[in-house]
C-alpha cells in the first residue's frame, strides 16, 4: 500500500499535475492539503477517472482545504474542527487492512502556517498555529492509542530537526523552525509515540526537504529548503514500512506547488 501526501496549493489549478503524479507514482491513497475549493467545486469526476472511487473532502473557497482520495474503500470518515474554527484543516478516514483487526486510521492535517512574526502577542496567526498543535497533541493522547494502527500526515508547517532546514542557525527565529514550534510539535509527536516515517529511511544527520519557496529564482541551485511535510505512524505500523519517496522533481513541473509530494510504502493489503 502506497500512501502519499501533498500540499497541492489549489487542486483545480493543479489537476493536470495530480494526474501526472498518479501516472508516475500510482499511490493507493492521496492526502491533499490546501485544496482551496468548496466541496461542490472539487474535481471529483477527474479524480474518479484517475482511479480514486473513494473520496473524503472538506474544503472552503480560496483557502485551506483537505482531501483524502483512495482506491481502497473507507469504513468511516471524520471531519474535525480545531481551536474553535471551521477552517478545513483536519479530516480522517479509516480503511480495513488484512494485517490488523482494527481499521487503519489516516489523519490528514494542514497545520496553520503561522504568519511571519514568531510572537503571538503581535501575530494572531502564530498564536493560532501554536494552539492548533497543542490541541492536536491533547486530542491524540485522549482519543487515540499508540497500539492502534494510525497514520498522521500532511503539511505540518514545522521543520523540527536541525537538518530539516537549510540553515539551523539562520532559521531559529524564522516561523517554522523556532524553538517553541519545535517544542510543541515534539509534544504532539510524543502524544502517541509517533514514529517519523521519513526519518525512518533518511538519517537525522542528512538534509531532507519537502518545500522550496517561490521566492527562490533557482530553487535547485540555492537549495534553501525545509521539511514541512510529514508522515507519522504508530508503533504497530513500523515493521510494515518498506520504502519512502520525496518527489523533488515535482518542484520543476509547470506551475508547481512550492511543496512536493511525500510518500511511504507499507506491506499492507486491503481487507
Amino acid at each position: 500500500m502506497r500512501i502519499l501526501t501533498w500540499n497541492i496549493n489549489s487542486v483545480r489549478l493543479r489537476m493536470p499535475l495530480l494526474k501526472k503524479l498518479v501516472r508516475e507514482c500510482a499511490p493507493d491513497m492521496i492526502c491533499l492539503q490546501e485544496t482551496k475549493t468548496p466541496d461542490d467545486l472539487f474535481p471529483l469526476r477527474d479524480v474518479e477517472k484517475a482511479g480514486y472511487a473513494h473520496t473524503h473532502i472538506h474544503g472552503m473557497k480560496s483557502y485551506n482545504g483537505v482531501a483524502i482520495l483512495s482506491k481502497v474503500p473507507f469504513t468511516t470518515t471524520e471531519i474535525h474542527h480545531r481551536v474553535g474554527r471551521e477552517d478545513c484543516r483536519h479530516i480522517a478516514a479509516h480503511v480495513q487492512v488484512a494485517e490488523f483487526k482494527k481499521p487503519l486510521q489516516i489523519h490528514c492535517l494542514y497545520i496553520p502556517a503561522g504568519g511571519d512574526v514568531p510572537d503571538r502577542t503581535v501575530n494572531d496567526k502564530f498564536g493560532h498555529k501554536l494552539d492548533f498543535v497543542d490541541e492536536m497533541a491533547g486530542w491524540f493522547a485522549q482519543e487515540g492509542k499508540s497500539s492502534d494502527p494510525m497514520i498522521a500526515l500532511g503539511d505540518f508547517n514545522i521543520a523540527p530537526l536541525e537538518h530539516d532546514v537549510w540553515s539551523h542557525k539562520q532559521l531559529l527565529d524564522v516561523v517554522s523552525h523556532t524553538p517553541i514550534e519545535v517544542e510543541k510539535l515534539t509534544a504532539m509527536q510524543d502524544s502517541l509515540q509517533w514514529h517519523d516515517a521519513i526519518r525512518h529511511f533518511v538519517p537525522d544527520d542528512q538534509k531532507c526537504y519537502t518545500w522550496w519557496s517561490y521566492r527562490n529564482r533557482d530553487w535547485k541551485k540555492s537549495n534553501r529548503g525545509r521539511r514541512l511535510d510529514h508522515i507519522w505512524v504508530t508503533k504497530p505500523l513500523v515493521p510494515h514500512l518498506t520504502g519512502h519517496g520525496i518527489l523533488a522533481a515535482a518542484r520543476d513541473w509547470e506551475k508547481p506547488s512550492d511543496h512536493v509530494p511525500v510518500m511511504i510504502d507499507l506491506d499492507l493489503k486491503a481487507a
Side-chain angles (χ1 to χ4, degrees), residues 74-107:
F74 304 135
T75 61
T76 307
T77 58
E78 303 167 358
I79 293 173
H80 298 284
H81 303 304
R82 297 289 165 215
V83 290
R85 305 190 189 191
E86 297 185 9
D87 54 355
C88 307
R89 293 183 179 274
H90 178 195
I91 57 174
H94 300 191
V95 299
Q96 194 64 54
V97 295
E99 289 75 10
F100 299 106
K101 290 183 179 180
K102 290 187 176 181
L104 170 63
Q105 298 182 35
I106 298 95
H107 292 266

Side-chain angles (χ1 to χ4, degrees), residues 27-196:
D28 298 287
M29 191 173 298
I30 301 172
C31 298
L32 300 175
Q33 304 85 44
E34 269 202 286
T35 54
K36 293 185 175 179
T37 183
D39 294 348
D40 60 334
L41 295 179
F42 196 96
L44 285 174
R45 184 174 298 178
D46 287 336
V47 166
E48 290 172 3
K49 286 182 179 178
Y52 299 87
H54 310 282
T55 56
H56 181 36
I57 59 176
H58 184 46
M60 58 193 292
K61 184 179 179 180
S62 303
Y63 298 98
N64 307 340
V66 281
I68 301 175
L69 319 176
S70 180
K71 296 179 179 179
V72 181
F74 304 135
T75 61
T76 307
T77 58
E78 303 167 358
I79 293 173
H80 298 284
H81 303 304
R82 297 289 165 215
V83 290
R85 305 190 189 191
E86 297 185 9
D87 54 355
C88 307
R89 293 183 179 274
H90 178 195
I91 57 174
H94 300 191
V95 299
Q96 194 64 54
V97 295
E99 289 75 10
F100 299 106
K101 290 183 179 180
K102 290 187 176 181
L104 170 63
Q105 298 182 35
I106 298 95
H107 292 266
C108 179
L109 300 171
Y110 177 44
I111 292 176
D116 296 325
V117 181
D119 182 349
R120 68 180 307 152
T121 63
V122 297
N123 177 13
D124 290 340
K125 292 180 179 180
F126 193 67
H128 178 213
K129 180 178 193 175
L130 299 183
D131 292 344
F132 188 102
V133 179
D134 279 345
E135 184 169 305
M136 287 306 314
W139 187 83
F140 277 134
Q142 182 175 350
E143 301 295 331
K145 291 182 179 179
S146 59
S147 58
D148 288 344
M150 298 174 64
I151 299 175
L153 47 64
D155 179 3
F156 291 3
N157 267 312
I158 300 172
L161 304 180
E162 177 178 348
H163 294 289
D164 287 342
V165 294
W166 64 273
S167 174
H168 173 62
K169 288 185 178 180
Q170 293 184 67
L171 269 70
L172 278 173
D173 60 352
V174 174
V175 173
S176 78
H177 192 60
T178 63
I180 185 64
E181 291 171 274
V182 173
E183 175 187 326
K184 291 186 178 296
L185 190 68
T186 300
M188 178 176 150
Q189 188 172 3
D190 290 344
S191 65
L192 290 179
Q193 292 81 55
W194 291 102
H195 185 75
D196 186 337

Side-chain angles (χ1 to χ4, degrees), residues 185-214:
L185 190 68
T186 300
M188 178 176 150
Q189 188 172 3
D190 290 344
S191 65
L192 290 179
Q193 292 81 55
W194 291 102
H195 185 75
D196 186 337
I198 300 305
R199 284 299 182 183
H200 180 87
F201 298 100
V202 182
D204 289 359
D205 62 357
Q206 290 185 18
K207 292 291 187 183
C208 183
Y209 310 141
T210 67
W211 173 90
W212 290 265
S213 174
Y214 286 131

Side-chain angles (χ1 to χ4, degrees), residues 184-251:
K184 291 186 178 296
L185 190 68
T186 300
M188 178 176 150
Q189 188 172 3
D190 290 344
S191 65
L192 290 179
Q193 292 81 55
W194 291 102
H195 185 75
D196 186 337
I198 300 305
R199 284 299 182 183
H200 180 87
F201 298 100
V202 182
D204 289 359
D205 62 357
Q206 290 185 18
K207 292 291 187 183
C208 183
Y209 310 141
T210 67
W211 173 90
W212 290 265
S213 174
Y214 286 131
R215 296 174 184 175
N216 295 333
R217 291 185 178 180
D218 189 336
W219 72 274
K220 196 178 296 182
K221 183 177 180 180
S222 63
N223 200 27
R224 294 189 171 192
R226 306 178 204 176
R227 186 171 72 108
L228 304 180
D229 306 270
H230 300 268
I231 304 177
W232 294 352
V233 300
T234 50
K235 188 175 180 179
L237 290 172
V238 175
H240 296 271
L241 288 167
T242 60
H244 84 294
I246 299 174
L247 198 63
R251 189 61 180 81

